[in-house]
Amino acid sequence: MWLAMFRPLFKSKKFLVSILVFIFIVLLGLVGPIVYPVDPTGYAGPFERPPSREFPLGTDTYGGDLLAKVLNGTRTSLYIGFLTAVISMSIGIIIGPISAIKGGIVDEVLMSFTNIVLTIPNILLAILIATYLKVRSAEVIALLLGVLGWPWFARAVRSQLLSLINREYVKLSRMAGYSDLRLAFEDLIPGIATYAFMSFILFINGGILGEAGLSLIGLGPTKGVSLGLVLQWAVLMEAVRRGIWWWFVPPGVIIVALTSSLLMITTAMDEVFNPRLREK
Amino acid sequence: MGNLVLQVENARAYYIVENNYVRAIDDVSISIREGEVVGIVGESGSGKTTLSNVMLVNIKKPLSLIDGKVKLYLNGSIIELNKLPREELQRNIWGKETSIIPQSAMNALMPTKRIKDSILDVMKTHFDEIHENEIIDKAQTRFEEIGVSKDAIFRYPFELSGGMRQRAVIAVATLLNPRFLIADEPTSALDVSTQKMVLKTIQNLREKGIVKSIAFITHDIATVRQIAETLVVMYAGKIVEISSIEEIIREPLHPYTKGLLFSVVTPEPEVKERGIYHIPGTPPNLMYPPPGCRFHPRCEYKLDICEREEPQLKVVNNRKVACFLY
Amino acid sequence: MKGYALRPFLKYVSRKFIFLLVTYFIAITIVFILPRAIPGNPLSTLLRQIFQQGQANPELIRSVHKTLMEEFGLGKPWYEQYIDFITRAFKGDLGTSISSYPKKTLDLIAPVMPWTLILLIPSIITAWIIGNTLGAIAGFKRGSFTDKFTLNFSLIVSQIPYYWLGMLLIFTLSVKLHIFPGQGGYSQGTIPAFTLKFILDMLYHYILPFLSIVISALGGWAIGTRVLVIYELDADYVNFGELLGLKEKTVFSYIFRNSILPQVTGLALSLGGALGGALITEIIFNYPGTGYLLFRALSTLDYPLIQGIFIILIGSVYLANFLVDFVYALIDPRIRLGQSEGS
Amino acid sequence: MPILEVNNLTKIYESGMIIRRYIEAVKNVSFSIEEGEIVSLVGESGSGKTTTANIILRFLKPTSGEVIVDGRDIWKDINTFEDLKEYRKKVHAVFQDPFSSYNSFYPVDRVLYQALELLGKNPKASESKDLIEESLVSVGLEPKHILGKYPHQLSGGEKQRLMIARCWLIRPKLIIADEPVSMIDASTRGGIIKLFEKLREEEKTSILFITHDMGLAYYISDKILIMYLGEIVEQGTPEEIISNPKHEYTKNLIESIPTLYKKWS
């Protein structure tokens, strides 16, 4: 059944192209640092060299090897994105269903809370919190972004579940003596699975872009390398105005390629699975 | 019998789905005459809604008119609607000569505009120059004729109750006194009390001469029986029987008509007496219709020929039926 | 009659207002709690740093210390600190800057705020209009080349961070091609004034940061509106309108109008994110706005200034949020007049 | 003893956290159903008939009043999961929408396996397979044509028959049939109606037939209850209701129903 469901996805050109791009970048991040084992934080050679055979992406002001930085940075950014997504999703997948299933006052309280977090400008809040944290590991950044990112998902899960719970097949399963837990696993979760998967992808994007933004104003991870940190140093060292394009172009290209390929994957999935968007 | 108003000749309209055809209507001909209300009855998948689109020549992807003609008789001349480009239909035919009361009248009016503004928009398509006050006056008169307060046109659709909204839609659809009006299941979503009100309204349209003739499309014989004189019965993209409604109720000819009529359950003693009937099986997949008569797999009077040859509509005692039994 | 018609509108608007007010209160509370709740007490770290920096003037250090102790009310019970904080915040006293001691935070923010508003408001509105129009056209012509192109373009563009696009624009149009200035809000050496010369100079500097926000923000709107329009294509009023002869143009205007309404509330929700992006864009462009001030405050760890900026920014976001919702309630008759439910 | 007894049932919906709003969906409704009886609950949309059904099915807690099934109060006397299962075996339902009665992720026969599980039978046992085939045949379905199919592969009528096959397996004492044929084509409706009648004949099943269609109610029921704005405004035998309606609402309703053999004046 699942296989048959996903088959039409592989007919979508958009899906195929974007998944290839995504896999390529994931490989860059996972395998790259192994294939190209240069210390991303170390001193590699001459300053501010344009790309050459020796330094495929050139070097920065401190003689750091930019290819090594970009490969390791990709890895960190992916890690942060993934972790952010896990955190946001976990919160959303707890709050949304509780709100939908419990209903009543529980629902109203949880949804008010969700709406408040939704309306608080979360980027600003992330900046503010990050300011007070002296040590910011990649995990802390992900936690910060993850904790602020879940409300829209919780709301969507709640409303989808509400429509599922009132479906007649759910009532029929209950009439067959299903426990709430069994009902959730057999009838409810499959119904929101594709949506949750698509949201997970969007959360990854949020994490990657959020990290880059925080890093750029000096609030990124305090150790290690990330794509955002590479950009931050490029800005601090005036790389843009001094024409050192190899410093700030590659990390940006990777961010955009990564996040837009992920977004395209979700769009392609939506076109296949959402009957209202399916081409006639 | 009055003069012809609209005629569909040998129409085939197919939906193109993944390199295949869904033969939604297949070789269908129908004539509508002045002053008559024709009921078109059929169940889901019978092609009745496709037929309504063909009568208006509202052919949009994935539907395509493979074959056939749609003729409108206008002041002695004949216009072949199927040959007109869409823009021409929009400007000179739709809303002006032909019109429709759609199935879901609840949401048929632009929700975020006052009804009067929607009316003015319609007028702007048909006339180069319009006088706003004149149109509003005229529209208000029509609203009152139909039984909606004339202030309703200054309201948004959501401010009107269900029955009022339905009638406002009827008023808007008939503002320009179209010769031919399609009512596409206009009452199927309504509670019975509202339904009766709407049926009366539609009946009045003809009595007052606002429209010349009406095609009333429905799945419910009991409803159409209150309003139509002639009944067209459709099954699986074909017309199986055309006759006066009284005769059909007295003596249905086609086995499908018979089955359909005897499955109707109304609170009448006759129904309890005759019992409730049903047709076994399910309608065919119109991507692969059965050979011969499309009803033969479900027909209890099936002959050998039914599997091989397609029955044509033929005249039997002043009635038309497509069945080898006659 | 008139009063009756107003009722749903007022109800909607006042509900929004109360909700935003409560949320703002919570946001300020978070601003209050954060420095006190985070382990390692950043305030004492800060104080230590001030001493360590060993600025020459011990008198200055002492008065900075005194002001900070007062403003943060350290030593007092937390609820007194809290009440102090809130009352001062509502009086508009956002504390004293450390890096620019003894200037009041508000006096530092006031002159840079207009720059941010001038950059942000026109650019997000422009992006909203262009993005929605593009998306609506694409949705209306769904499946066409225009649609596919617009969609793919928007999918990529929507993922470009404002600031990175800013970097690319500076590098190509300023550094390489010398068409536009790549930094600042106006030429160095000129003094802000209401002269035509200055305004032209300002606009000249305005173009690149403006473009970088507009281009990257429009993609998201286009994607969203396209889907809304596609949903609307099969709506009953569209089919009925067409069969009454409405021109394609009119039908499009109907669909456009109805799909854009939810995007108005979308605008309200996106403001926070847009502001965050714009702040960083200002940093890239050395644009003399709040973002740049914030960046300075962050690098000097000027906590009172950082807090002040946040209280103002979050407040502005909520104010704008409310205004957008107000406009929304005005233009959507279903909200203004109160749609009867379940009819 | 009646199989179902509903006494002074009231359901008020409340909403709003600060400003509370109340909607009375069901007002003081009382009726009873005897063994083997078919009772129709007739009302237009919004009359509260589905809310009543949901309360009897124990999906919704009433604000006040009691529902007694087979001598036990369904809220007071059902305390454990086992009690609930026992109750589920006694009361079953067939719903309006055959499409949303099936989860599209599973083959349609899942609804039958669920029923076997409820009865405590091992769905994998060969005896179970026989039971399933038997139930399919009894509702006029060809097992080969149904087993292993997914919901979109069956017609609405077939799906509704399958629902009744499920009732054949469970053999409940009471079936709540909530508009079971209103989404089915007229020409196939009769077959499903007959299946309900057959259940009543052979198993003495009581049926609460919820519908907006007075014709169906007239045809199938022993007793008709007319529901309007949450209240039962009139009840009686079909003949009494049709030929001699007392309440204004009922009169108007009956006058508005299109009839087949007589045309409106």
Side-chain angles (χ1 to χ4, degrees):
Chain A
M1 185 61 198
W2 286 95
L3 208 78
M5 232 179 92
F6 283 107
R7 196 170 302 137
L9 206 50
F10 290 92
K11 281 187 195 154
S12 157
K13 241 186 282 168
K14 191 183 284 155
F15 180 77
L16 288 176
V17 169
S18 43
I19 200 129
L20 284 179
V21 171
F22 175 67
I23 291 174
F24 174 70
I25 296 173
V26 170
L27 286 178
L28 277 187
L30 291 184
V31 184
I34 302 167
V35 177
Y36 190 77
V38 175
D39 177 10
T41 50
Y43 168 85
F47 316 114
E48 300 183 0
R49 280 293 159 84
S52 63
R53 191 166 298 171
E54 195 184 350
F55 304 107
L57 282 183
T59 60
D60 65 12
T61 308
Y62 302 100
D65 186 318
L66 280 167
L67 179 60
K69 282 181 190 288
V70 165
L71 292 177
N72 283 279
T74 305
R75 178 184 273 192
T76 314
S77 291
L78 278 169
Y79 174 60
I80 292 180
F82 186 76
L83 205 57
T84 306
V86 170
I87 294 164
S88 290
M89 175 128 298
S90 314
I91 302 175
I93 210 84
I94 292 171
I95 291 195
I98 291 183
S99 207
I101 292 167
K102 289 284 169 201
I105 195 83
V106 176
D107 181 32
E108 285 182 31
V109 169
L110 283 179
M111 279 303 113
S112 307
F113 175 62
T114 306
N115 284 332
I116 287 169
V117 183
L118 185 71
T119 13
I120 285 183
N122 52 31
I123 297 180
L124 295 184
L125 201 59
I127 294 176
L128 187 64
I129 298 174
T131 313
Y132 290 111
L133 298 172
K134 283 279 100 48
V135 182
R136 295 179 298 264
S137 60
E139 290 81 6
V140 168
I141 299 288
L143 185 68
L144 190 55
L145 294 169
V147 162
L148 294 171
W150 54 270
W152 61 268
F153 174 67
R155 278 211 324 192
V157 165
R158 171 183 171 272
S159 67
Q160 295 209 357
L161 282 180
L162 279 182
S163 84
L164 285 186
I165 284 172
N166 289 322
R167 293 279 166 84
E168 290 160 354
Y169 66 77
V170 174
K171 289 185 178 173
L172 285 161
S173 290
R174 274 208 220 168
M175 288 195 311
Y178 274 32
S179 65
D180 283 354
L181 202 67
R182 184 157 178 211
L183 197 69
F185 276 100
E186 282 192 25
D187 280 313
L188 299 179
I189 290 176
I192 56 165
T194 47
Y195 179 76
F197 180 74
M198 282 159 55
S199 307
F200 190 81
I201 287 179
L202 295 177
F203 278 134
I204 296 182
N205 278 2
I208 292 169
L209 292 171
E211 184 275 330
L214 281 178
S215 293
L216 210 80
I217 48 175
L219 297 172
T222 40
K223 59 175 198 281
V225 197
S226 75
L227 292 176
L229 288 174
V230 177
L231 283 176
Q232 182 205 358
W233 282 102
V235 171
L236 283 179
M237 291 300 136
E238 294 281 357
V240 181
R241 292 194 180 81
R242 294 194 292 126
I244 312 173
W245 57 268
W246 57 91
W247 195 346
F248 65 90
V249 172
V253 168
I254 294 211
I255 291 177
V256 174
L258 183 57
T259 52
S260 54
S261 68
L262 281 172
L263 185 63
M264 277 198 199
I265 290 176
T266 64
T267 316
M269 286 176 71
D270 215 13
E271 277 167 7
V272 171
F273 296 128
N274 183 343
R276 296 176 76 187
L277 288 179
R278 221 172 281 154
E279 291 250 2
K280 279 181 196 148
Chain B
M1 272 284 177
N3 300 320
L4 278 169
V5 171
L6 187 106
Q7 211 175 10
V8 175
E9 285 178 3
N10 306 95
R12 288 176 207 278
Y14 296 173
Y15 291 90
I16 300 165
V17 179
E18 289 168 6
N19 304 323
N20 215 331
Y21 288 128
V22 175
R23 293 158 165 80
I25 66 170
D26 220 347
D27 195 12
V28 163
S29 302
I30 187 172
S31 306
I32 314 274
R33 290 174 183 278
E34 218 170 279
E36 76 177 340
V37 177
V38 176
I40 299 174
V41 68
E43 298 180 276
S44 51
S46 61
K48 56 189 193 303
T49 298
T50 309
L51 179 59
S52 93
N53 281 320
V54 168
M55 287 194 282
L56 295 173
V57 197
N58 174 32
I59 309 291
K60 263 198 299 193
K61 261 202 320 187
L63 180 65
S64 89
L65 185 63
I66 305 285
D67 201 0
K69 286 180 188 163
V70 184
K71 294 180 187 164
L72 181 73
Y73 292 78
L74 198 64
N75 309 326
S77 61
I78 302 172
I79 306 173
E80 276 195 40
L81 294 183
N82 53 303
K83 289 195 174 147
L84 297 185
R86 203 173 168 89
E87 292 74 41
E88 177 79 22
L89 289 164
Q90 280 172 335
R91 182 158 171 81
N92 293 325
I93 306 295
W94 290 347
K96 221 170 164 183
E97 306 298 341
T98 65
S99 193
I100 184 166
I101 306 169
Q103 183 166 13
S104 41
M106 282 300 142
N107 308 310
L109 292 169
M110 166 70 176
T112 53
K113 275 196 169 192
R114 290 177 201 280
I115 295 171
K116 96 175 158 66
D117 292 319
S118 296
I119 291 175
L120 289 172
D121 281 342
V122 173
M123 293 303 154
K124 278 180 204 150
T125 18
H126 296 305
F127 306 102
D128 293 324
E129 211 177 310
I130 58 164
H131 301 284
E132 211 166 292
N133 291 336
E134 212 175 282
I135 287 169
I136 288 176
D137 280 351
K138 222 177 120 193
Q140 288 190 314
T141 319
R142 175 56 46 86
F143 268 58
E144 282 192 316
E145 261 177 296
I146 278 176
V148 200
S149 108
K150 64 178 184 182
D151 292 333
I153 79 163
F154 298 110
R155 306 223 158 260
Y156 289 95
F158 63 84
E159 294 182 272
L160 305 182
S161 72
M164 282 301 147
R165 220 186 291 178
Q166 184 93 20
R167 283 198 263 182
V169 168
I170 296 175
V172 173
T174 56
L175 271 179
L176 292 171
N177 297 1
R179 294 168 60 75
F180 172 61
L181 178 72
I182 294 180
D184 185 5
E185 304 237 19
T187 62
S188 62
L190 302 174
D191 281 335
V192 283
S193 43
T194 326
Q195 181 180 329
K196 184 168 185 180
M197 202 167 71
V198 169
L199 282 177
K200 293 269 175 214
T201 310
I202 294 175
Q203 226 162 12
N204 272 341
L205 290 175
R206 189 188 44 161
E207 275 159 22
K208 290 189 176 158
I210 291 171
V211 299
K212 291 268 185 299
S213 40
I214 297 174
F216 192 97
I217 296 175
T218 182
H219 63 272
D220 181 9
I221 297 187
T223 306
V224 74
R225 174 241 202 296
Q226 312 302 330
I227 185 166
E229 292 94 30
T230 310
L231 194 64
V232 175
V233 183
M234 292 192 74
Y235 180 77
K238 296 266 183 192
I239 292 177
V240 296
E241 185 164 357
I242 303 179
S243 171
S244 98
I245 203 150
E246 298 297 336
E247 280 186 90
I248 283 194
I249 286 170
R250 197 173 45 82
E251 193 205 354
L253 293 181
H254 196 282
Y256 173 71
T257 316
K258 217 173 267 182
L260 188 64
L261 186 74
F262 291 164
S263 349
V264 177
V265 194
T266 52
E268 292 171 279
E270 289 92 332
V271 169
K272 249 191 188 170
E273 227 165 83
R274 71 144 151 78
I276 182 168
Y277 182 81
H278 76 278
I279 306 176
T282 43
N285 177 348
L286 290 181
M287 227 183 251
Y288 313 102
C293 173
R294 288 188 179 178
F295 187 61
H296 87 254
R298 303 174 73 188
C299 184
E300 53 180 300
Y301 306 97
K302 189 186 78 181
L303 308 170
D304 286 344
I305 188 174
C306 304
E307 293 176 22
R308 282 173 284 127
E309 257 176 72
E310 255 186 65
Q312 300 299 318
L313 270 181
K314 61 181 162 208
V315 181
V316 178
N317 299 335
N318 243 343
R319 304 166 61 176
K320 283 183 183 166
V321 60
C323 181
F324 290 115
L325 291 176
Y326 303 96
Chain C
M1 186 67 207
K2 194 113 200 179
Y4 174 75
L6 261 176
R7 216 185 292 155
F9 173 72
L10 287 179
K11 213 164 131 191
Y12 178 85
V13 166
S14 54
R15 255 179 47 198
K16 279 279 167 192
F17 184 77
I18 292 169
F19 174 74
L20 289 175
L21 202 66
V22 169
T23 316
Y24 185 43
F25 202 76
I26 293 171
I28 296 182
T29 308
I30 295 175
V31 172
F32 166 81
I33 293 174
L34 273 176
R36 291 162 177 85
I38 282 174
N41 192 352
L43 276 180
S44 48
T45 324
L46 172 66
L47 289 174
R48 210 177 314 123
Q49 265 174 1
I50 294 171
F51 283 112
Q52 278 167 0
Q53 273 164 9
Q55 281 173 355
N57 189 345
E59 191 61 32
L60 183 68
I61 293 173
R62 213 166 299 130
S63 51
V64 170
H65 184 241
K66 190 164 157 271
T67 325
L68 271 178
M69 286 301 282
E70 262 168 33
E71 281 177 359
F72 280 86
L74 297 175
K76 284 191 203 167
W78 66 268
Y79 53 88
E80 274 183 40
Q81 293 181 30
Y82 182 59
I83 293 166
D84 266 14
F85 183 81
I86 298 284
T87 32
R88 282 193 295 111
F90 272 92
K91 276 189 207 150
D93 176 4
L94 301 176
T96 312
S97 160
I98 299 170
S99 55
S100 313
Y101 190 83
K103 277 196 178 157
K104 280 288 184 186
T105 312
L106 195 60
D107 297 330
L108 289 169
I109 302 171
V112 295
M113 206 54 196
W115 287 97
T116 300
L117 296 182
I118 288 174
L119 177 60
L120 191 61
I121 294 174
S123 55
I124 55 173
I125 291 176
T126 312
W128 190 83
I129 293 171
I130 298 179
N132 282 324
T133 313
L134 276 181
I137 294 170
F140 197 65
K141 306 252 173 221
R142 79 171 299 198
S144 66
F145 173 75
T146 321
D147 176 30
K148 286 184 178 133
F149 179 80
T150 313
L151 177 60
N152 288 323
F153 169 80
S154 307
L155 283 172
I156 294 173
V157 153
S158 69
Q159 297 302 301
I160 302 181
Y162 302 177
Y163 42 86
W164 189 64
L165 185 63
M167 292 181 187
L168 291 185
L169 290 177
I170 296 172
F171 180 69
T172 49
L173 297 181
S174 170
V175 176
K176 287 288 162 193
L177 299 172
H178 306 288
I179 301 176
F180 295 107
Q183 61 176 325
Y186 45 87
S187 295
Q188 275 185 327
T190 53
I191 296 156
F194 264 111
T195 60
L196 183 66
K197 186 160 172 273
F198 179 77
I199 291 173
L200 287 177
D201 184 51
M202 208 187 84
L203 286 177
Y204 191 41
H205 282 77
Y206 187 75
I207 292 172
L208 287 190
F210 175 78
L211 277 184
S212 65
I213 297 180
V214 169
I215 295 176
S216 15
L218 64 82
W221 296 118
I223 297 170
T225 306
R226 176 180 171 274
V227 171
L228 289 170
V229 164
I230 289 176
Y231 281 178
E232 208 77 357
L233 285 177
D234 279 335
D236 297 323
Y237 70 87
V238 172
N239 292 324
F240 185 51
E242 282 184 345
L243 290 176
L244 292 180
L246 286 186
K247 290 178 202 141
E248 206 182 25
K249 207 175 65 187
T250 320
V251 173
F252 178 71
S253 78
Y254 281 16
I255 293 180
F256 188 62
R257 190 185 173 118
N258 291 339
S259 336
I260 216 130
L261 283 170
Q263 294 290 56
V264 177
T265 42
L267 181 64
L269 277 180
S270 77
L271 288 170
L275 179 63
L279 294 180
I280 305 175
T281 310
E282 288 182 4
I283 296 168
I284 302 290
F285 281 94
N286 292 333
Y287 193 81
T290 324
Y292 201 65
L293 182 69
L294 176 68
F295 188 57
R296 253 178 45 208
L298 287 175
S299 43
T300 54
L301 290 179
D302 188 344
Y303 286 113
L305 184 54
I306 296 173
Q307 282 195 355
I309 292 175
F310 276 102
I311 291 177
I312 298 257
L313 286 185
I314 294 177
S316 323
V317 169
Y318 282 148
L319 185 66
N321 208 319
F322 177 71
L323 291 177
V324 174
D325 267 327
F326 187 85
V327 171
Y328 172 63
L330 266 185
I331 57 179
D332 191 335
R334 289 166 294 192
I335 302 287
R336 186 174 70 234
L337 302 171
Q339 182 154 26
S340 54
E341 278 159 47
S343 58
Chain D
M1 188 182 66
I3 199 78
L4 171 75
E5 220 183 308
V6 174
N7 294 325
N8 306 93
L9 201 64
T10 298
K11 176 70 190 175
I12 300 170
Y13 286 105
E14 301 175 34
S15 64
M17 205 159 38
I18 298 156
I19 307 154
R20 308 218 56 122
R21 280 176 300 266
Y22 303 93
I23 300 162
E24 254 184 302
V26 174
K27 293 180 209 166
N28 203 24
V29 161
S30 304
F31 63 91
S32 65
I33 302 180
E34 301 292 331
E35 187 181 344
E37 199 179 25
I38 298 183
V39 174
S40 288
L41 186 58
V42 180
E44 302 191 326
S45 51
S47 61
K49 52 192 198 304
T50 295
T51 305
T52 310
N54 279 329
I55 295 173
I56 299 172
L57 286 169
R58 216 178 173 277
F59 290 141
L60 255 182
K61 209 176 160 121
T63 311
S64 65
E66 50 181 17
V67 177
I68 293 165
V69 171
D70 208 13
R72 300 180 81 184
D73 185 307
I74 66 164
W75 289 100
K76 288 198 192 102
D77 299 336
I78 295 180
N79 299 311
T80 64
F81 195 57
E82 287 311 307
D83 289 347
L84 185 62
K85 275 194 171 177
E86 277 311 307
Y87 172 71
R88 295 289 181 219
K89 287 183 210 165
K90 273 187 217 158
V91 182
H92 213 69
V94 176
F95 294 115
Q96 174 176 18
D97 185 350
F99 299 92
S100 83
S101 288
Y102 294 83
N103 188 333
S104 55
F105 288 94
Y106 303 97
V108 289
D109 35 1
R110 174 183 190 234
V111 298
L112 301 180
Y113 287 107
Q114 285 182 332
L116 289 178
E117 250 184 276
L118 177 67
L119 297 174
K121 296 204 165 76
N122 176 10
K124 292 209 177 84
S126 65
E127 174 215 21
S128 298
K129 207 175 167 234
D130 294 342
L131 281 173
I132 280 181
E133 293 200 350
E134 202 181 297
S135 71
L136 287 173
V137 172
S138 69
V139 296
L141 292 171
E142 177 70 37
K144 267 194 308 211
H145 178 67
I146 302 293
L147 296 174
K149 290 278 170 64
Y150 281 91
H152 66 271
Q153 295 169 295
L154 299 190
S155 73
E158 287 168 327
K159 284 182 205 160
Q160 249 6 16
R161 280 171 183 263
L162 191 52
M163 277 295 144
I164 299 174
R166 179 168 146 134
C167 292
W168 271 108
L169 281 176
I170 299 176
R171 289 174 213 240
K173 296 198 162 162
L174 172 67
I175 293 177
I176 312 287
D178 188 357
E179 302 263 10
V181 292
S182 67
M183 290 175 80
I184 306 293
D185 271 339
S187 70
T188 34
R189 258 178 214 181
I192 291 163
I193 294 295
K194 280 177 199 152
L195 289 175
F196 281 111
E197 289 182 323
K198 188 172 147 197
L199 259 174
R200 184 257 291 267
E201 293 310 317
E202 294 179 14
E203 302 292 328
K204 290 268 173 281
T205 315
S206 311
I207 297 170
L208 177 62
F209 194 85
I210 296 175
T211 182
H212 68 278
D213 186 336
M214 189 64 107
L216 276 176
Y218 172 74
Y219 180 81
I220 195 175
S221 20
D222 304 313
K223 188 165 81 186
I224 292 180
L225 315 167
I226 306 283
M227 200 161 182
Y228 176 61
L229 298 179
E231 285 175 286
I232 291 182
V233 294
E234 185 163 357
Q235 51 179 301
T237 65
E239 277 69 24
E240 282 167 2
I241 298 272
I242 293 299
S243 50
N244 190 17
K246 302 225 163 47
H247 195 274
E248 270 314 302
Y249 172 75
T250 322
K251 282 183 195 162
N252 183 32
L253 186 70
I254 286 164
E255 238 170 59
S256 309
I257 297 165
T259 44
L260 189 60
Y261 294 98
K262 280 182 295 289
K263 197 172 167 175
W264 281 336
S265 47

